[in-house]
Amino acid sequence: MFNRSAVIICLVLCFCSSLFGQSDQYWPPGKVSVDFRKLLARPIVDFHAEFKSIKTDSVTIETGTIYSEKNEKVPVLIYKPLTSKSGSFPVVIFLHGTGGSKDDKNIKNVLYQLTKRGMMGVAIDARFHGARIPGGAHGGEEYVKAVTAAWQNKDKTKQTHPFFYDTVFDLWRLTDYLVTRADVKADRIGMAGISMGGIETWMAASVDARIKVAVLDIAAQSFSWSLDNDRWQGRVHTIQNAHLQAAKDLGDSVLDKRNVKALWDKLVPGITGEFDCPSMVRLFAPRPLLILSTEKDQNCPLPGAKIAFESAKTAYNKVNAADKLKMDVAPNLPHQTTPEHLQMTLDWFSKWL
């Protein structure tokens, strides 16, 4: 018997599948890019760049600042080789994790190792980290306070997004600045980061085609999967006091899925939907992308990271670029980077950038 309703439902489902591309749970890539840039848009100001330079026997080091917004001075650290036949270098922007800074020993080591491969290494302090706090930050203390204040803000015209998004805007402006420099190969810029820095990488670089190569170290995940599968605790722990305050403000005595999502929805709107990693990571295709994870990562649970990878894999296969996508999982380790993954990161940029 002909079932008119069933046919209509089938047609609707087919239309939705076509509209959302690879899966009916994802938005069209073009829409994701436009919507994310619109969400983070703010007035563009002059960089007012100020740098000083010193030369050692093996590397040139520049320290300085640029302005990303009227009242946002971004501290920048640059390591570059002493010489170049062309006078310019490929560049890798490398980002620290929660509570860290551009001046961390491991960050400086990465920048130095990049120079040994003929590349310029660039690092910044994320908002409320490092030198962006007068007198220096105290781990993640000021960051958590900023997230708490943003949660409690009642004025929508003055809403800040210190939890990832504001630093993502800084990274776009940093890239704007780098491409103006004569010593930068503007068509050969890469980006990578550890944990929070890796999350900022997939957010910033996914929608910025100027970033030609990327590495995500203990950063790929699905915020949506973590909520749905009661695996949000590790991510929440990085700014736990802010989440505890949000729970209290909502009349809850304990953290749960509802109050966690409430904070995320206000401070990183769309993070469990259109701007979640599985949705945004597709936008990298066909640019070379390396995803590094650990098996027992409590902050970026592996099942969510695998969902992101499979989403990216579909996009890369669609454009015949499967060789430019790779995932490596370090067995039996929690949320931490490894020397092996650092080596893979450097090799990835040497190969593709």
Side-chain angles (χ1 to χ4, degrees), residues 199-218:
I199 294 171
E200 292 159 352
T201 294
W202 59 253
M203 290 179 174
S206 64
V207 304
D208 191 339
R210 295 173 300 177
I211 306 303
K212 304 301 183 182
V213 184
V215 179
L216 316 178
D217 192 353
I218 52 174

Side-chain angles (χ1 to χ4, degrees), residues 32-102:
V32 173
S33 181
V34 170
D35 289 351
F36 193 58
R37 284 189 171 277
K38 182 178 180 180
L39 175 66
L40 272 61
R42 52 202 73 183
I44 299 299
V45 301
D46 191 279
F47 297 119
H48 295 295
E50 294 184 359
F51 283 86
K52 59 182 180 180
S53 175
I54 62 171
K55 284 188 177 182
T56 72
D57 58 355
S58 58
V59 65
T60 299
I61 301 174
E62 293 187 25
T63 56
T65 59
I66 63 169
Y67 277 86
S68 62
E69 296 187 69
K70 182 179 180 180
N71 297 310
E72 284 296 334
K73 183 185 286 189
V74 184
V76 183
L77 176 63
I78 298 174
Y79 277 50
K80 63 181 181 180
L82 292 176
T83 60
S84 167
K85 291 181 180 180
S86 66
S88 59
F89 308 92
V91 177
V92 175
I93 301 166
F94 196 85
L95 307 168
H96 65 79
T98 302
S101 82
K102 70 183 185 314

